[in-house]
Amino acid sequence: MRPVSLVTMPLPASVGDTLELLNRGDYIAERSLATSVYLALRMGRPLFLEGEPGVGKTEIAKVLASTMGRKLVRLQCYEGLDIASAVYEWNYSRQMIEIRLAEVEGARSREGLAQDIFSERFLIRRPILQALEGDLGAPPVLLIDELDRADEPFEAYLLEVLSDYQVTIPELGTMKASEPPVVIITSNRTREIHDAVKRRCLYHWVDYPSAERELQIVSRKVPGLAASLSAQVVALVQKLRGMELFKPPGVAETIDWAKALSVLNVTEINPEVVDETLGVLLKYRDDIERIKGKEGQALLSS
């Protein structure tokens, strides 16, 4: 990604401006995706991006943060993710020290001590609360990545965040963002996300790119690669996606393969090169064994 200014940029004024904004971050987007991004930014709504792994969903948030001069706050979802890891928790060790000091001093009442230890001094802010508090300058870009990996109860907790940009902490009350962050949510669709979450967001399915757009992406990301080799790379990857593989290569794998061929000083793809570098493109043994040899040769000659 090319360096961009750290100065906070105003929101794009049109879909065309959004395309240019993404382009400045080396993200070659289709107009439909740029339209969704533009509407999410202008309407102040979270954007829910769903699609196969490796098609560039997470990259959208990174590029927006970079090109708009905003801080990126990332919440990587996983099974068992809870509020203590995603939103806030109390600093129990510091609270215990405070209690011991109060016992030694003997000056504070029990009620006064309880108010002290449940004040903001002892609050540990996790990604969602950081994004809502607005002490990062301009509102940040909040990336809630791979929400489909989190448990369903966590989705329910997100409803208040996504609709009102606020969280409720029982001991402190409601903490609401003075200006909403830019929220990007991604899902690889390993399970369905509840409709209640989707209703609070604008939705866009991020598909694999066309051959033409993928060639533009490779040219931008691996500028030193010969045009003829880039065309071979994209053509083979597009054919692989048309096969029933356990995990077809994403755009990230296309770029990695192009970079790998550049490192190996390959000038033309032949069956031997394909066999030796399939591990860059495919991540499952069964897929590699299927393509290696005659199947790979057939793909190159078709």
Side-chain angles (χ1 to χ4, degrees):
M1 187 184 302
R2 290 175 294 179
V4 295
S5 172
L6 294 178
V7 177
T8 302
M9 303 294 291
L11 296 181
S14 66
V15 175
D17 286 350
T18 308
L19 274 169
E20 175 55 29
L21 185 77
L22 296 173
N23 186 52
R24 286 206 301 273
D26 289 341
Y27 194 102
I28 313 296
E30 292 181 348
R31 190 173 179 85
S32 59
L33 174 57
T35 301
S36 295
V37 172
Y38 170 70
L39 291 174
L41 293 174
R42 301 300 298 190
M43 296 168 67
R45 295 282 297 279
L47 178 58
F48 187 96
L49 298 176
E50 204 165 40
E52 298 294 333
V55 293
K57 303 184 296 296
T58 301
E59 191 68 12
I60 282 281
K62 295 179 180 177
V63 168
L64 285 177
S66 174
T67 53
M68 294 172 65
R70 311 283 184 97
K71 177 166 182 164
L72 176 66
V73 179
R74 179 172 184 167
L75 174 62
Q76 180 65 54
C77 297
Y78 55 86
E79 187 177 354
L81 177 67
D82 58 10
I83 294 173
S85 300
V87 189
Y88 76 93
E89 67 177 324
W90 294 106
N91 190 328
Y92 295 116
S93 59
R94 285 194 59 199
Q95 286 177 320
M96 286 302 300
I97 293 173
E98 189 74 8
I99 291 171
R100 297 286 170 77
L101 289 173
E103 288 174 347
V104 171
E105 294 170 353
R108 280 178 282 181
S109 66
R110 179 175 295 181
E111 291 75 15
L113 178 59
Q115 286 184 347
D116 283 346
I117 63 174
F118 288 109
S119 65
E120 293 195 34
R121 283 197 301 140
F122 298 96
L123 192 65
I124 300 175
R125 293 158 173 81
R126 299 305 186 194
I128 288 180
L129 187 55
Q130 290 174 20
L132 295 180
E133 282 207 319
D135 59 350
L136 304 170
V141 175
L142 171 61
L143 168 63
I144 302 176
D145 208 15
E146 299 183 339
L147 181 58
D148 52 321
R149 290 180 179 272
D151 302 312
E152 291 185 11
F154 182 71
E155 286 183 38
Y157 183 84
L158 278 182
L159 298 181
E160 182 183 17
V161 175
L162 299 179
S163 59
D164 300 320
Y165 296 104
Q166 67 181 33
V167 297
T168 300
I169 301 175
E171 297 86 354
L172 296 177
T174 299
M175 306 182 82
K176 185 178 178 67
S178 57
E179 192 174 351
V182 176
V183 181
I184 304 293
I185 302 172
T186 74
S187 168
N188 293 330
R189 210 178 186 183
T190 57
R191 67 172 178 82
E192 283 293 332
I193 300 300
H194 198 281
D195 286 347
V197 171
K198 290 184 176 179
R199 280 200 306 273
R200 286 160 171 79
C201 306
L202 303 186
Y203 176 87
H204 188 88
W205 174 264
V206 184
D207 210 345
Y208 291 119
S210 65
E212 180 183 6
R213 191 164 71 87
E214 191 157 31
L215 192 55
Q216 292 177 336
I217 294 170
V218 171
S219 300
R220 182 67 67 86
K221 295 291 187 180
V222 195
L225 206 66
S228 59
L229 186 56
S230 298
Q232 280 189 300
V233 166
V234 170
L236 186 66
V237 169
Q238 294 269 332
K239 290 175 184 174
L240 287 173
R241 289 189 190 131
M243 302 176 69
E244 292 186 1
L245 297 175
F246 187 75
K247 171 64 181 72
V251 178
E253 281 75 32
T254 307
I255 296 168
D256 282 347
W257 196 38
K259 289 179 178 177
L261 297 179
S262 177
V263 169
L264 293 171
N265 295 316
V266 171
T267 57
E268 185 177 7
I269 299 175
N270 56 46
E272 289 73 26
V273 168
V274 173
D275 287 352
E276 291 168 1
T277 57
L278 270 178
V280 183
L281 276 176
L282 304 174
K283 307 301 179 180
Y284 287 88
R285 181 184 177 187
D286 289 349
D287 288 344
I288 292 174
E289 291 301 319
R290 177 179 171 186
I291 300 302
K292 187 179 287 185
K294 291 183 178 178
E295 192 80 36
Q297 293 180 32
L299 286 173
L300 282 175
S301 58
S302 62

